[in-house]
Structures are given as C-alpha cells and as structure tokens.
Amino acid sequence: MIPVTKPFLPPQEEYQAYLNEIWSSGWLTNMGPLSVELEQKLTAHLRVPQLLYVTNGTVALQMAIKALDLKGEIITTPFSFVATTSSIVWEGCTPVFVDIDSDSLNIDAGKIEAAITEKTTAILATHVYGNPCDVLAIDAIAKKHNLKVIYDAAHAFGVEVYGKSIFEYGDISTCSLHATKLYHSIEGGLIIAGNAELHQKLRYIRNFGISGFYEFAELGINGKNSEFHAAMGLVNLNHIAAISEKRKALVKKYDELLKETRLQRPVWHQDSENNAAYYPVIFETEEALLQAEETFKQNQIGTRRYFYPSLATALPYLDPTEMEITDSISKRVLCLPLYYDLEIEDVNVVCGILKLNNQIQTIKHS
Ligand SMILES: Cc1ncc(COP(=O)(O)O)c(C=O)c1O
C-alpha cells in the first residue's frame, strides 16, 4: 500500500523529551514556554519579522479577515481547499470568484480588476501547491483600488520569492501546519502580519480579545494552540532540512520519469523554488484521470483529486458559477503520493502505472 500522504513522525524519544518538560512545567496550553519557543524559532527559520502560532490554518484565515475588519465582497480563487472560501462566508463576507491562470493554477491577476465593485474590500488568494501567486501584480491592484490582501499560504512553508519569505507579501499571510503538510505540528497554523499594530491586534484576537487582567481590546476567539502541538512543531523543525531534501529528491525523480509523457505540470514561479509540498499532474481528459485513478486503486496506491470540484460550483451555501479554466483543471488534476517515507522505488512504481495508463489512452484514441 502506498498512501497519497503520510505524516512525518520524528523519533519518539525526541517527542518524549518535550513531554517530560511539559510534565515538569505543568503548563499545557495558553502560550506556554514551548509555544513561545516555537514562535521564536519559526520567526528565525522563515526570516519573517514576527508570527503567531495558532490552532490551525482555517482559524488563521478567519482571524485574518476579522483583524482587517473586512466587509462586503472578497475576491478569491475557486481552485483551493474549501477553507479558503468557507472562512470568507463564516466571517459574513461574500466570496467573488476570479478564474485561475492555466499555467500557475493561481488566481489570474489579469482578471481581478474586472471583478472589483464598490463593495470589494479585499483579495484572498492561495499560493496553490506552494507556487507563489503573481504577488507584484496583486499588490499593485490592491494599492490602486485600496484593497487589503490576504494570502492563504497553507502550502507554502519555506517558500521564498524575490529574495524574501512568501509570508511577507500581502497584509496578512496564513499557513497550515496540519499533519499532512510538509512541516507540521499535528494541528496548527501560522499568521504573519508585517505591520506591528496588526500583529498586536491578531495577538489579542487569538486570546479571546483579552488585553489585560480584566480588560478586552478586541472581539476575539480561542485561536491558541497547546504545548503538545508546539512540542511536535519543535521536534519536526529539527528535521526540516532532511524532510525538504528527501521530498525534493522525490519530485526530481517524478519529473525525470514523467517528462516524456503528455501529463501537464503547473508552471512554477520563475523566481521561486518548488518546496515539494505536492506532486500534481494534469491529464489531457477527465476520462484519462479516472482511468488512472482506478488503476492506482487496484494497485493499492493512493491519489487525491486536489482540488476537486471547483469551489465555485461545489458549495451548497453558494450559487454555482462556472469558471472555464478552474472547471477544466479541477476535473483533470490528480496529486500523486509524496511524503518523507516514500521511497524512490515507489516513485518508479507510480510512474510505471501512469505510463501504462498513458499508452492505453493513446491506443484508445488512435
Ligand atoms: C489551501 C488551504 N487553505 C487552508 C487550509 C486549512 O488548514 P487547516 O487544515 O490547518 O485548518 C488547507 C488545509 O489543507 C489548505 O490546503
């Protein structure tokens, strides 16, 4: 059995050492010493001015929308995980979908201006699979129309563009540290706001809005994370170089083995390196994808249609909107197995099946 993903688990004794610390401090949650240490280490590792460690990537998005006081319409991508859209609706705003670019699979910056109305207050874009959006174009549009920008950088741990962290773009960036992510703390999320005042506001929001012993500065939520989660984050951070290296080697192998096939791959941002968070391939037709998916299933290989279906058509709480490129890509994209424990030999097996599938499709259509 080859699953599509498998969480990285560090040597158990390394986690146990942190559990011993928790037992002696007696501090289980509420911004304890391990959460503070994790924030400090991640700030240095990611080269950002400051960050907050929170419950998960979804709460991070909701807190971002709340902190920026967004109302009305938020322009967003239909090609993302459901949390990108649901957080907009959860915060009482209206998502307005703009189609994606067929190469990068990120929101098409060239189509954003046409979607702006007098109700638009922000752009919420996802760096899909960790591939940076056209941050310069989005920034210019936001400035011109006085809009806020939030980046859902759930997939983009460790990504840099134009010489700095991807998390430094936009008013706020959020990241997910969920167990299936490249770097994780079981559950967890990050919020990065460059502006010190906004950062402080988010800090209050994370802790019920509490600003002093019997004082409240903001409408807040419980966005804190526990010491047990922080401990996993700290242990895993010691392994991040090895995790990245292994995943990049697997991606290189996939690239080598699949280059002769007709499978399409997302085109990566010219100024950025792939962080090897996912390995998506795009088939020529949905039929070819379904055929491959079935063959993988028969061979006990996990794959995931990620993202499928388009968020502009899938959600029962929104009127469906057709989006030409998203509809087409989401029907044809499949993520292949990629995780630290995956062996190069497994990549050979996965690619062998894909190539066979390709041949069947070619014969069928000739
Ligand atoms: C693009 C995107 N945004 C948001 C989230 C939500 O993150 P979390 O699971 O940490 O709440 C995910 C999780 O998979 C995601 O892929």
Side-chain angles (χ1 to χ4, degrees):
M1 168 80 196
I2 302 176
V4 64
T5 186
K6 193 172 162 193
F8 173 80
L9 275 173
Q12 208 173 334
E13 59 279 11
E14 293 180 21
Y15 190 63
Q16 185 61 48
Y18 279 104
L19 292 186
N20 295 346
E21 277 191 38
I22 295 174
W23 254 257
S24 34
S25 75
W27 201 333
L28 309 188
T29 186
N30 284 12
M31 286 81 71
L34 298 182
S35 301
V36 172
E37 187 183 337
L38 181 64
E39 284 187 345
Q40 284 165 351
K41 287 197 166 150
L42 283 173
T43 302
H45 177 83
L46 296 165
R47 301 201 293 136
V48 291
Q50 60 227 348
L51 58 75
L52 293 171
Y53 178 53
V54 298
T55 324
N56 55 54
T58 306
V59 165
L61 283 168
Q62 289 169 205
M63 287 172 59
I65 296 169
K66 186 70 82 194
L68 292 169
D69 284 324
L70 300 181
K71 306 271 181 294
E73 296 174 359
I74 299 180
I75 290 175
T76 191
T77 173
F79 191 67
S80 187
F81 184 63
V82 63
T84 316
T85 304
S86 66
S87 57
I88 295 173
V89 179
W90 197 266
E91 292 304 322
C93 299
T94 307
V96 173
F97 293 111
V98 165
D99 210 353
I100 56 169
D101 173 75
S102 57
D103 288 336
S104 71
L105 311 187
N106 288 323
I107 195 166
D108 187 340
K111 292 184 181 151
I112 290 178
E113 279 197 288
I116 295 174
T117 71
E118 70 279 3
K119 292 190 195 141
T120 311
T121 55
I123 301 164
L124 199 180
T126 301
H127 302 301
V128 174
Y129 309 126
N131 187 13
C133 289
D134 189 346
V135 287
L136 301 183
I138 292 174
D139 189 45
I141 295 165
K143 281 211 174 82
K144 183 172 159 196
H145 296 274
N146 197 21
L147 304 176
K148 299 292 183 192
V149 178
I150 299 172
Y151 284 113
D152 181 343
H155 301 173
F157 189 88
V159 171
E160 296 199 337
V161 65
Y162 306 124
K164 62 179 188 179
S165 167
I166 190 75
F167 296 150
E168 288 216 57
Y169 293 87
D171 295 280
I172 299 180
S173 285
T174 63
C175 186
S176 167
L177 306 186
H178 181 257
T180 55
K181 297 290 187 277
L182 161 74
Y183 165 75
H184 78 87
S185 69
I186 311 171
E187 291 277 358
L190 300 175
I191 304 189
I192 302 93
N195 177 289
E197 220 173 290
L198 190 54
H199 175 75
Q200 182 57 54
K201 186 172 180 182
L202 283 158
R203 190 185 278 282
Y204 290 143
I205 289 176
R206 175 177 66 173
N207 191 29
F208 311 98
I210 294 171
S211 53
F213 269 111
Y214 299 102
E215 285 166 23
F216 301 88
E218 299 289 338
L219 170 63
I221 195 171
N222 184 355
K224 296 175 274 103
N225 213 332
S226 82
E227 291 290 277
F228 294 81
H229 292 87
M232 183 62 87
L234 283 167
V235 179
N236 286 348
L237 198 55
N238 290 333
H239 294 274
I240 193 65
I243 295 171
S244 275
E245 197 185 319
K246 175 72 183 287
R247 294 177 76 118
K248 283 179 184 170
L250 293 164
V251 164
K252 193 163 163 246
K253 189 71 188 171
Y254 269 127
D255 283 347
E256 270 167 34
L257 293 175
L258 295 180
K259 72 171 182 289
E260 301 300 326
T261 66
R262 297 199 306 250
L263 294 163
Q264 202 189 314
R265 296 262 301 125
V267 178
W268 211 262
H269 193 294
Q270 277 180 351
D271 200 78
S272 185
E273 193 193 343
N274 186 344
N275 66 344
Y278 296 91
Y279 199 90
V281 290
I282 303 162
F283 290 80
E284 286 182 301
T285 62
E286 186 177 25
E287 183 204 358
L289 176 144
L290 293 172
Q291 164 98 52
E293 198 186 26
E294 186 50 39
T295 318
F296 280 131
K297 242 185 237 162
Q298 283 163 8
N299 288 278
Q300 300 205 316
I301 294 171
T303 55
R304 185 167 172 207
R305 300 185 73 178
Y306 192 68
F307 306 107
Y308 171 82
S310 158
L311 295 173
T313 58
L315 305 177
Y317 43 86
L318 294 177
D319 292 333
T321 321
E322 278 177 24
M323 298 262 126
E324 192 189 341
I325 297 169
T326 302
D327 291 346
S328 168
I329 297 282
S330 60
K331 284 184 186 135
R332 295 184 290 119
V333 69
L334 193 69
C335 282
L336 304 181
L338 184 63
Y339 46 90
Y340 178 75
D341 284 335
L342 190 71
E343 298 300 337
I344 294 283
E345 184 44 42
D346 297 330
V347 176
N348 281 323
V349 173
V350 172
C351 292
I353 288 175
L354 269 179
K355 284 180 178 169
L356 196 65
N357 192 71
N358 232 359
Q359 282 165 12
I360 294 168
Q361 289 298 317
T362 312
I363 295 164
K364 261 196 192 167
H365 291 111
S366 60

